[in-house]
Amino acid sequence: MRVFFLIWILLSVGFAREINVAAAANLSHVLGEIQKEFLSTHPQDKINISYSSSGKAYIQIMQGAPIDIFLSADEEFPHRLYMEGKVPDKEEVYAQGVLVLWSADPKIKITSLKNLTDKKIFHIAIPNPKLAPYGRAAKQSLEKSELMSIVSSKLVNATSISQAHQFVATRSAEVGFGAFSLIDKYNKNVSYILVDKTLYAPINQALVLTNYGKNNPLAIEFKDFILSAGVKKIFKKYGYGFDE
């Protein structure tokens, strides 16, 4: 009986599969639920997810990091990887991000972008536009609304959208730009607005299998799962949009 049990364990370990996923930081809430849902029917498998700015993940893949799937916050970084031969197929859009301006300070109520000119606001957190697509969208919004020249001295660059949210949550910055998917809508101290979508280019978030993961069945299955109709409902629950 003991020998049979040991054989069963060895066989189970042998069939276990594992993949590494690099994901944009705005996905840190939604992707956890998607991962849990997928693994409920793949209990023997393991999915390792690391979150960072899309630009940082792009650099890691360019340098040969063992990443199977890349979920970016835009189309540009995955497309660059395709053009540079680092991924086998073109990028596929899985959701559309929504930009917010928000504050965790109960003394500050966000009603419009014009609030940024308020004398009570000294620091505005913004994800680094060179690395983070949401930061790029925030910069576009400030420029198009003709506020950049007025508030540029208040901007505090964060390495990723998660760090920008951390600056606001800890009140290191009175306000900040972020992702709707990361906002705690039940926190009474939080106020926010959805930034007018006409002020920035659509945040079409795309994914790709890498050359490292293109022949990994688990990577292919997880990618297809993320793009499925059922998962679209999960993205919508967390505030993502879709062109329909």
Side-chain angles (χ1 to χ4, degrees):
M1 184 68 178
R2 182 178 295 178
V3 172
F4 175 79
F5 182 67
L6 288 173
I7 292 173
W8 180 83
I9 291 176
L10 290 171
L11 286 173
S12 298
V13 172
F15 283 106
R17 302 174 298 173
E18 185 172 351
I19 58 170
N20 298 318
V21 177
N26 72 87
L27 298 167
S28 60
H29 292 178
V30 65
L31 199 54
E33 182 170 337
I34 293 170
Q35 177 190 27
K36 184 178 179 180
E37 184 76 17
F38 179 82
L39 291 178
S40 68
T41 57
H42 297 73
Q44 77 281 9
D45 296 325
K46 186 175 182 181
I47 299 173
N48 305 308
I49 304 176
S50 60
Y51 298 97
S52 68
S53 68
S54 297
K56 184 177 179 180
Y58 162 81
I59 292 170
Q60 290 174 335
I61 294 169
M62 285 295 295
Q63 293 176 341
I67 294 168
D68 297 279
I69 305 175
F70 173 35
L71 283 86
S72 180
D74 69 356
E75 295 175 285
E76 182 180 335
F77 285 119
H79 187 68
R80 279 196 212 172
L81 291 171
Y82 176 73
M83 297 302 292
E84 288 155 354
K86 298 297 182 180
V87 301
D89 300 305
K90 287 186 177 181
E91 67 281 0
E92 297 178 82
V93 174
Y94 60 87
Q96 193 171 82
V98 177
L99 181 69
V100 296
L101 177 68
W102 74 292
S103 175
D105 188 336
K107 296 177 183 178
I108 296 175
K109 297 301 178 185
I110 302 298
T111 58
S112 76
L113 288 181
K114 291 182 180 179
N115 292 139
L116 296 175
T117 64
D118 195 308
K119 292 180 180 179
K120 291 185 294 185
I121 294 174
F122 301 96
H123 307 94
I124 303 167
I126 181 173
N128 187 335
K130 294 181 180 179
L131 297 174
Y134 281 78
R136 193 185 313 145
K139 181 181 177 183
Q140 291 169 355
S141 299
L142 290 173
E143 291 172 342
K144 199 163 184 180
S145 60
E146 299 183 345
L147 289 170
M148 179 61 85
S149 60
I150 303 173
V151 304
S152 59
S153 62
K154 300 181 179 183
L155 297 180
V156 179
N157 269 338
T159 57
S160 67
I161 198 164
S162 58
Q163 188 179 62
H165 273 258
Q166 184 180 19
F167 286 165
V168 180
T170 59
R171 301 190 195 173
S172 299
E174 292 81 13
V175 299
F177 287 96
F180 187 38
S181 60
L182 297 178
I183 295 293
D184 181 356
K185 291 119 182 134
Y186 301 101
N187 186 335
K188 294 181 180 179
N189 290 331
V190 168
S191 64
Y192 65 91
I193 59 164
L194 307 184
V195 178
D196 186 345
K197 289 186 178 181
T198 64
L199 295 177
Y200 60 92
I203 308 174
N204 291 323
Q205 303 197 192
L207 60 73
V208 282
L209 282 175
T210 66
N211 288 342
Y212 180 83
K214 66 181 180 182
N215 295 318
N216 187 321
L218 181 61
I220 296 168
E221 288 177 40
F222 191 51
K223 184 209 77 166
D224 290 342
F225 182 74
I226 292 169
L227 295 171
S228 68
V231 170
K232 182 183 285 190
K233 294 177 183 178
I234 300 176
F235 277 115
K236 286 182 176 180
K237 185 174 80 172
Y238 281 83
Y240 290 89
F242 293 87
D243 284 331
E244 295 175 315

